[in-house]
């Protein structure tokens, strides 16, 4: 990624690191190493998480919110010290909002393998000498859910009133409901799938390849060198962002217009290229390239039917009342994937469709429609918080 001369280079990683301001984060340290599905174990696991509201005495009002690939635990609240961006679902969490924190105890962990406080490649190894880097182990969604189950135990939550997630967060949400059906009281799945498709794996593999091809990747051991694989991560983000939006939106917003005061015939950019550059530049300053690789590979590994007799048998384990919703313009996670889950989960209602011109990102942008789904699944009969 080419940066203007007056702009300083980003740090080697945009990860949260020890000594940085904690912001609203709290930490759950696992007591034992985490056994991994692919073999081996991960010692020294910590999950960063944030909470809103108050846990009822009987712990009946806890809601688990699971973020997408480049999200984090900061679901609600302003940007500020410790939090490079404002809450990614701020419109949904707070007093009087769909996830009403006067009623619900909302918990949002940073995913295992992530880079905003949870154990990941940018974290210091248990010996305290250097970052995990390229030695960080391969993770699956099941490993991540196992770590989150430990967090739930530590918080005293035996059963979530609701588990909700979109995209990668939806992968973990459905894995929660299949692995721990007795611990999920209700389930809301947004723009996600029961198993990564060949096309989704292909897009992710190209992005991972772009990161690893950067000469500053150094086998993943760049964190303490002062220079990270920003070009590769920026390319990965550009490609990903195109798949997150829809062709009609890009056509309507940008068309073939050149960027202001630039001439594409003389090396200048089109407006759509400037837009992608902007998103790439933002990501390299707030994210970690190795976490991008680890989480992308975990998403590619996602398959709730693995070792469980296939997708139908696995989804048949879900007992929680379930709403499945997709975005009508989503070309990365098409509606057919959500329709399959709605058909195969015994406790699911009909497929819900979010109307949006924004493609896959519609589950983040169309907050009014998502709010209606949250209110529907969290109807009066879901739970009666013991402290009310």
């Amino acid at each position: 990624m080419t940066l203007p001369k007056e702009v300083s280079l980003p740090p080697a990683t945009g990860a949260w690191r020890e000594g940085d301001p904690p912001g609203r984060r709290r930490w759950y340290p696992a007591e034992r190493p985490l056994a991994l599905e692919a073999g081996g174990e991960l010692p020294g696991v910590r999950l960063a998480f944030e909470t809103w509201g108050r846990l009822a005495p009987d712990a009946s009002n806890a809601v688990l919110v699971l973020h997408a690939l480049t999200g984090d635990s900061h679901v609600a609240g302003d940007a500020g010290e410790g939090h490079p961006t404002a809450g990614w679902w701020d419109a949904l969490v707070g007093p009087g909002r769909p996830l009403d924190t006067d009623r619900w105890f909302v918990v949002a962990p940073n995913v295992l393998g992530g880079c905003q406080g949870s154990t990941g490649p940018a974290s210091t190894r248990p010996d305290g000498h250097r970052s995990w880097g390229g030695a960080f182990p391969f993770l699956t969604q099941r490993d991540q859910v196992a770590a989150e189950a430990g967090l739930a135990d530590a918080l005293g939550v035996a059963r979530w009133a609701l588990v909700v997630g979109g995209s990668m967060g939806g992968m973990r949400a459905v894995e929660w409901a299949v692995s721990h059906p007795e611990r999920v009281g209700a389930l809301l799945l947004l723009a996600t799938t029961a198993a990564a498709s060949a096309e989704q794996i292909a897009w992710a593999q190209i992005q991972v390849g772009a990161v690893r091809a950067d000469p500053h990747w150094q086998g993943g051991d760049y964190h303490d060198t002062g220079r990270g694989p920003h070009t590769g991560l920026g390319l990965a983000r550009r490609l990903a962002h195109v798949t997150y939006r829809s062709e009609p939106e890009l056509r309507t917003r940008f068309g073939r217009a050149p960027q202001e005061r630039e001439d594409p015939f003389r090396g200048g950019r089109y407006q759509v290229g400037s837009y992608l550059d902007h998103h790439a530049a933002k990501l390299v300053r707030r994210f970690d390239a190795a976490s991008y690789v680890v989480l992308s590979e975990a998403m590619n590994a996602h398959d709730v039917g693995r070792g469980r007799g296939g997708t139908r048998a696995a989804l048949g384990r879900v007992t929680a009342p379930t709403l499945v919703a997709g975005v009508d313009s989503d070309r990365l996670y098409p509606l057919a994937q959500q329709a399959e889950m709605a058909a195969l989960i015994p406790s699911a209602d009909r497929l819900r469709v979010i109307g949006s011109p924004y493609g896959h990102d519609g589950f983040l942008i169309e907050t009014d429609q998502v709010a209606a789904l949250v209110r529907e699944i969290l109807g009066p009969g879901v739970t009666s918080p013991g402290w009310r």
Side-chain angles (χ1 to χ4, degrees):
M1 177 174 55
T2 302
L3 295 169
K5 291 182 180 178
E6 66 272 14
V7 177
S8 62
L9 283 172
T13 175
W16 185 94
R17 307 190 83 179
E18 292 293 339
D20 290 344
R24 295 189 75 259
R25 294 175 185 84
R26 298 162 57 191
W27 277 269
Y28 152 69
E31 294 180 357
R32 293 180 296 277
L34 179 70
L36 302 176
E37 185 183 5
E41 58 185 24
L42 178 62
V45 168
R46 291 200 315 164
L47 290 188
F49 67 100
E50 296 178 48
T51 67
W52 298 260
R54 184 160 55 96
L55 186 63
D58 63 359
S60 64
N61 67 330
V63 172
L64 180 64
V65 179
L66 301 174
H67 66 77
L69 172 59
T70 62
D72 55 31
S73 64
H74 199 53
V75 173
D78 297 333
E81 194 174 48
H83 299 293
T85 57
W88 52 270
W89 247 3
D90 188 69
L92 270 69
V93 178
R97 295 177 182 176
L99 290 173
D100 187 346
T101 50
D102 289 335
R103 180 185 182 195
W104 302 105
F105 177 64
V106 179
V107 180
N110 180 217
V111 67
L112 181 66
C115 63
Q116 287 300 318
S118 291
T119 300
S123 302
T124 303
R125 301 187 195 201
D127 62 16
H129 293 309
R130 58 190 174 118
S131 302
W132 274 102
F136 194 80
F138 184 90
L139 297 180
T140 69
Q141 305 287 325
R142 295 183 194 179
D143 301 326
Q144 293 163 339
V145 167
E148 290 164 1
L151 168 62
D153 293 341
L155 292 172
V157 177
R159 186 171 186 261
W160 299 104
L162 171 67
V163 177
V164 54
S167 192
M168 184 186 80
M171 291 178 174
R172 303 205 314 283
V174 71
E175 184 62 45
W176 256 101
V178 171
S179 295
H180 306 284
E182 74 288 351
R183 302 193 70 166
V184 178
L187 182 65
L188 177 56
L189 304 174
L190 303 168
T192 192
T193 180
S197 70
E199 185 172 25
Q200 288 157 351
I201 293 170
W203 286 125
Q205 193 158 331
I206 295 169
Q207 294 167 49
V208 167
V211 174
R212 286 179 166 154
D214 189 308
H216 296 291
W217 170 247
Q218 299 183 66
D221 295 323
Y222 58 85
H223 293 90
D224 304 308
T225 68
R227 184 70 184 269
H230 305 313
T231 298
L233 181 58
L235 288 171
R237 181 60 166 181
R238 289 175 178 88
L239 176 58
H241 203 76
V242 173
T243 70
Y244 295 158
R245 310 305 278 237
S246 74
E247 188 279 332
E249 184 216 356
L250 296 178
R251 172 166 32 90
T252 301
R253 286 182 65 181
F254 305 113
R256 293 186 44 79
Q259 179 67 1
E260 187 177 0
R261 294 188 295 276
E262 295 189 28
D263 182 357
F265 282 25
R266 290 171 173 80
R269 298 171 297 174
Y270 291 95
Q271 285 185 6
V272 69
S274 174
Y275 167 75
L276 296 177
D277 289 348
H278 169 71
H279 282 280
K282 285 202 308 182
L283 188 74
V284 299
R285 291 185 178 276
R286 70 169 182 85
F287 212 75
D288 179 60
S291 275
Y292 198 95
V293 169
V294 166
L295 298 183
S296 295
E297 291 186 328
M299 292 173 72
N300 284 351
H302 172 59
D303 179 2
V304 295
R306 182 175 57 249
R308 294 166 171 159
T311 300
R312 180 182 294 273
L315 293 180
R317 297 185 182 192
V318 179
T319 57
T322 301
L323 289 181
V324 184
V327 181
D328 59 2
S329 57
D330 191 342
R331 55 182 171 181
L332 182 60
Y333 288 76
L335 284 173
Q337 292 184 322
Q338 294 90 58
E340 178 188 44
M341 289 193 294
L344 295 181
I345 294 174
S347 52
D349 200 357
R350 60 179 174 79
L351 175 67
R352 304 300 203 274
V353 178
I354 297 170
S356 176
Y358 299 115
H360 183 61
D361 276 354
F363 84 93
L364 294 169
I365 297 170
E366 304 291 353
T367 52
D368 286 346
Q369 295 181 64
V370 174
L373 296 170
V374 171
R375 289 190 174 103
E376 181 180 358
I377 195 69
L378 282 180
V382 173
T383 189
S384 299
W387 54 267
R388 297 293 287 175

